[in-house]
Amino acid sequence: MAKNIGFFEKYLSFWVFLCIIFGILLGKFLPDLPMYLSNITLSGVNIPIAVLIWFMIYPMMVKIDFSAVKNLGKSHLFKGLSITWIINWLIKPFSMFLIAYFFLVTLFSGYLELLPLELAKEYVAGAILLGAAPCTAMVFVWSHLSKGDPLYTLLQVSTNNLIILIAFAPIVGLLMGLSNIPVPYDTLFISVILYVVIPLVFGYSSRIYFLKNKGIEWFEKRFIPKLNNISVFGLLLTLILLFSFQGDLILNNPLYILLIAIPLIIQTYFIFGISYMWGFKWKLPHNVCAPASFIGASNFFELAVAVAISLFGIESGAALATTVGVLVEVPIMLSLVKLANLTKRRFKIV
């Protein structure tokens, strides 16, 4: 079993590529199925995707030992939270805006004349939505793949979910130059419940049940190893659904997809680089530094896509930009996971 898991995760980029292609083709040739699934929503949250995200998050949640909460006062945990708070809310949204505006408006629209100006501004709006929404669900997958601390990962996601409720709308409004931007707060709250609260309660409850009835040896040596592929399967099925929803937009705009992707790729590596080097200089353990860097580098794309569609429409440039964010994020984040794992030995051991 372990050998199969290693092989599967080793070639995860290949499976991701196949699932993206399959999702686009599914939306092209069997459009009724993704259309039906895309309509199963609750306050802007797609329920089928939420279920798949549970599969991604549950293996992480069930590993959390809450008796370790007493260790949260350790300096390296607070340092990790400090990095993610500062990067996610004082640097990332503004660097995303500056990088996207330079490439899409100044360079591609102004100097090279590859984009209509109004369309370029819509793409910038989509980039802003991505930049103001740090990752909530997928960071559990990246943390799992890099053997990040499950309890720390949960802690940083929980605190960022609280901050996003307060900071998202003002930051988006400021960067878009608008005074009143309608943000679907019900989507925010329900997303937190679906992507964090429900899998956490289920994971904790099942952990207590299995430890009590099966014992710690069965739990750690037989049950946990069986969960190792569940997160990855959830990720791949989520990609198939997302790209089946947006396949036509991608196929009809190949050049624009490339132009949007450039600033998003630069932004992702830039934010990860700052966080990772900061954590290294602060002598954080790798299992804290890695998830602290992943959460800012990746995005809460479910929220960004939902708000883009709500504000600008499903066929808008902003909606397309947020979808491109999903397209480029997964392979880039896999490369960052690989980089984090390759450099793990340089970090202190706690």
Side-chain angles (χ1 to χ4, degrees):
M1 183 67 175
K3 185 179 295 185
N4 291 334
I5 292 170
F7 173 82
F8 190 80
E9 292 186 352
K10 181 179 180 180
Y11 298 102
L12 185 56
S13 296
F14 175 71
W15 308 126
V16 165
F17 175 76
L18 286 183
C19 287
I20 290 174
I21 297 300
F22 182 75
I24 292 175
L25 294 177
L26 180 64
K28 179 71 175 179
F29 296 105
L30 293 173
D32 290 343
L33 177 59
M35 183 177 297
Y36 171 76
L37 294 175
S38 67
N39 290 329
I40 306 175
T41 62
L42 177 63
S43 295
V45 175
N46 185 268
I47 301 304
I49 288 181
V51 172
L52 292 176
I53 288 177
W54 293 339
F55 281 99
M56 286 189 277
I57 298 177
Y58 173 75
M60 175 69 69
M61 297 297 193
V62 79
K63 295 177 184 178
I64 296 175
D65 179 7
F66 280 94
S67 64
V69 170
K70 60 181 181 292
N71 297 321
L72 290 181
K74 288 184 177 179
S75 61
H76 65 267
L77 294 175
F78 181 75
K79 285 181 178 180
L81 290 175
S82 300
I83 290 174
T84 189
W85 292 338
I86 293 172
I87 293 293
N88 288 356
W89 301 108
L90 297 180
I91 297 177
K92 179 183 177 180
F94 305 97
S95 64
M96 175 70 90
F97 170 72
L98 292 174
I99 292 173
Y101 194 90
F102 170 74
F103 278 96
L104 296 173
V105 176
T106 304
L107 184 60
F108 296 152
S109 180
Y111 184 73
L112 298 179
E113 298 182 349
L114 296 174
L115 284 173
L117 179 58
E118 290 304 314
L119 191 57
K121 289 182 177 179
E122 285 194 21
Y123 293 157
V124 171
I128 290 171
L129 292 171
L130 288 169
C135 188
T136 294
M138 298 293 287
V139 68
F140 288 102
V141 178
W142 313 136
S143 179
H144 167 72
L145 293 177
S146 62
K147 295 180 171 58
D149 185 328
L151 187 59
Y152 171 77
T153 304
L154 173 65
L155 183 64
Q156 70 170 3
V157 168
S158 299
T159 56
N160 273 278
N161 280 332
L162 294 175
I163 296 173
I164 202 173
L165 296 175
I166 301 171
F168 181 78
I171 290 176
V172 169
L174 173 65
L175 294 179
M176 288 189 181
L178 301 174
S179 57
N180 293 305
I181 294 213
V183 176
Y185 283 100
D186 55 346
T187 299
L188 290 175
F189 285 112
I190 291 175
S191 294
V192 171
I193 292 172
L194 288 176
Y195 301 146
V196 178
V197 176
I198 290 178
L200 174 60
V201 170
F202 185 52
Y204 177 72
S205 300
S206 58
R207 176 186 178 89
I208 296 300
Y209 174 81
F210 288 132
L211 286 176
K212 181 179 180 180
N213 293 279
K214 297 290 187 177
I216 189 170
E217 183 174 355
W218 178 90
F219 179 79
E220 292 183 349
K221 294 184 178 180
R222 299 187 62 182
F223 180 65
I224 291 299
K226 293 179 180 180
L227 296 178
N228 286 341
N229 270 338
I230 291 181
S231 288
V232 179
F233 286 136
L235 168 63
L236 297 180
L237 291 175
T238 300
L239 290 175
I240 291 174
L241 273 188
L242 283 174
F243 285 95
S244 69
F245 296 164
Q246 301 290 335
D248 282 342
L249 287 175
I250 294 172
L251 292 175
N252 294 332
N253 301 277
L255 175 61
Y256 292 169
I257 297 299
L258 174 62
L259 298 180
I260 296 169
I262 291 173
L264 298 184
I265 292 171
I266 293 174
Q267 160 77 2
T268 303
Y269 282 113
F270 173 70
I271 291 298
F272 177 84
I274 293 177
S275 305
Y276 203 61
M277 289 304 300
W278 187 353
F280 179 76
K281 293 296 183 181
W282 263 13
K283 302 186 185 303
L284 290 181
H286 186 266
N287 66 352
V288 170
C289 185
S293 304
F294 292 144
I295 192 171
S298 52
N299 304 301
F300 189 177
F301 56 77
E302 300 90 353
L303 174 64
V305 171
V307 175
I309 293 173
S310 174
L311 296 179
F312 302 99
I314 194 168
E315 296 183 357
S316 65
L320 179 61
T322 55
T323 303
V324 175
V326 186
L327 177 66
V328 301
E329 176 174 318
V330 174
I332 292 176
M333 291 306 300
L334 287 172
S335 74
L336 292 177
V337 167
K338 184 174 183 179
L339 175 63
N341 287 333
L342 288 174
T343 56
K344 183 176 181 179
R345 295 181 179 178
R346 296 179 178 270
F347 285 75
K348 60 178 289 189
I349 299 176
V350 175

